[in-house]
Amino acid sequence: MTGSPHLSDHLSDERSDSGRVRWRRFAALTVPALAVTAGLGIALAQGVLAASFAVSGQQFKVSASSLEGEGFAQYGSVDVNAREELIPVAVTAIREARLHNLCQSVVTTLPVVGDISLNLTAGRKTPVEASNLFVDATQLAGDAVFTNIEIGRDASTLDKGPAEAQGMQDLFAQQADTVRITDLQQTAWATNAGTFKLSGLSMNVSKGKKECF
């Protein structure tokens, strides 16, 4: 029996099948990871990544009674989180910005405790001032007025906003000499600024869901 050619062939087929199954499982686990790595590599090479840090898993809300900016640019990009997942965003970049009645809020839900809200306010008397401001947002609302706006410009050729405010070649973008937005409401993943002057800063942590809007 042990020398049977049929039994030997059968065992050989089982080993071959087992090997194929293991390789299939390995490929199923490896391909998504390679795809993410390749996507990050392409994004880095093309300068498409927005925030220069890994964003958290929570978006935050920002509101202001008014925003006035000089040197405005807006274009599509992506953020990356700690899991190396890519997150599409619309980058709003302003060379010099002033915000009145700024509010920023984020809500964290914890086991047993429930919702915890972090609220930050500033600029009630003296406006908040920011230079080279970048906001990676997924939602923006308000009443806006632009001067000398260019809509549909190639994102790689933007030149009115901060020096670093450029996206990928062939992608849609817009820019303007100045922008004014009243009743601003924005949901974002990240904010970067060269300088950020918060006059009358106040921070509060409380239980429950308390957001800027």
Side-chain angles (χ1 to χ4, degrees):
M1 291 291 291
T2 56
S4 168
H6 298 292
L7 180 57
S8 177
D9 291 344
H10 178 68
L11 291 173
S12 176
D13 290 344
E14 283 188 343
R15 284 194 294 270
S16 178
D17 289 344
S18 177
R20 282 196 294 270
V21 170
R22 284 196 293 270
W23 276 108
R24 290 193 192 106
R25 289 175 180 169
F26 175 79
L29 293 171
T30 305
V31 169
L34 290 175
V36 170
T37 302
L40 282 171
I42 293 170
L44 285 168
Q46 296 179 337
V48 69
L49 291 181
S52 58
F53 52 85
V55 300
S56 74
Q58 296 175 279
Q59 295 191 74
F60 55 92
K61 293 185 175 182
V62 177
S63 68
S65 59
S66 67
L67 178 152
E68 300 165 354
E70 298 176 2
F72 166 87
Q74 192 172 63
Y75 54 96
S77 188
V78 291
D79 282 341
V80 60
N81 61 22
R83 299 184 188 88
E84 297 188 341
E85 297 169 334
L86 300 181
I87 302 168
V89 295
V91 178
T92 297
I94 303 175
R95 196 171 60 251
E96 298 290 340
R98 294 172 299 280
L99 300 98
H100 297 263
N101 297 314
L102 174 69
C103 173
Q104 178 178 300
S105 65
V106 61
V107 178
T108 301
T109 302
L110 300 175
V112 182
V113 179
D115 291 335
I116 300 294
S117 296
L118 171 63
N119 290 78
L120 180 152
T121 59
R124 290 184 177 178
K125 294 182 179 179
T126 303
V128 171
E129 297 179 359
S131 64
N132 294 327
L133 176 66
F134 289 79
V135 181
D136 303 347
T138 56
Q139 175 270 335
L140 185 150
D143 298 318
V145 177
F146 302 92
T147 59
N148 296 324
I149 190 168
E150 300 173 354
I151 300 174
R153 181 163 178 146
D154 188 298
S156 68
T157 68
L158 295 170
D159 58 7
K160 290 189 176 183
E164 300 82 5
Q166 290 187 340
M168 290 179 61
Q169 185 176 347
D170 297 329
L171 290 191
F172 174 91
Q174 56 187 1
Q175 64 177 5
D177 288 344
T178 66
V179 59
R180 177 177 172 80
I181 304 176
T182 55
D183 298 325
L184 171 69
Q185 295 183 347
Q186 190 165 239
T187 305
W189 285 104
T191 297
N192 292 339
T195 60
F196 207 34
K197 184 178 179 182
L198 297 159
S199 301
L201 173 64
S202 176
M203 187 183 74
N204 182 54
V205 177
S206 58
K207 290 191 64 175
K209 195 171 184 178
K210 300 175 183 177
E211 299 181 284
C212 296
F213 60 90

